[in-house]
Amino acid sequence: MALSLSERAAQHVSAFLSKRGKGLGVRLGVKTSGCSGMAYKLEFVDIENTEDVRFESHGVAIYTDAKSLAYIDGTELDYVKEGLNEGFKFNNPNVKNECGCGESFNI
């Protein structure tokens, strides 16, 4: 079981944490939402919860909860620029279908 960041995503997260002046890393999870059933959650972590599962990638800590890990195990978080748009991209090997807008998925 593992979660990872691409080198580019790790640099981006590190820069954001530095700019914020605080934070232990990022939390990646899922929530029930969207037209396909599930959506990703991504937020900064300032306090580690005892039930968190922690991974490290390129020097950045990634946290998740055990329930979410079942859906996102093996996921790599990347940071991409496509034309004028830029943002995080979830490369999740467990996804079977995604909605047309790219906001939700199912397994």
Side-chain angles (χ1 to χ4, degrees):
M1 294 183 134
L3 299 177
S4 64
L5 299 172
S6 69
E7 189 171 339
R8 188 175 186 149
Q11 291 171 350
H12 193 75
V13 170
S14 292
F16 259 85
L17 289 171
S18 179
K19 190 182 236 184
R20 280 180 87 223
K22 64 178 182 176
L24 303 174
V26 292
R27 177 172 283 113
L28 178 58
V30 295
K31 62 182 177 180
T32 303
S33 178
C35 50
S36 289
M38 304 184 100
Y40 296 105
K41 296 186 304 184
L42 183 63
E43 59 191 13
F44 290 111
V45 176
D46 293 327
I47 299 171
E48 187 172 338
N49 298 325
T50 57
E51 64 272 2
D52 282 341
V53 180
R54 183 182 184 277
F55 300 95
E56 190 164 321
S57 181
H58 298 285
V60 175
I62 310 164
Y63 297 86
T64 192
D65 60 278
K67 184 178 175 184
S68 292
L69 186 56
Y71 300 102
I72 59 175
D73 183 30
T75 297
E76 178 195 52
L77 184 60
D78 195 6
Y79 191 80
V80 297
K81 290 185 179 184
E82 296 173 348
L84 297 175
N85 299 317
E86 61 183 277
F88 288 105
K89 180 178 179 183
F90 300 88
N91 297 316
N92 185 343
N94 305 302
V95 170
K96 301 292 184 230
N97 294 306
E98 294 180 310
C99 69
C101 65
E103 293 295 319
S104 63
F105 66 97
N106 67 30
I107 304 229

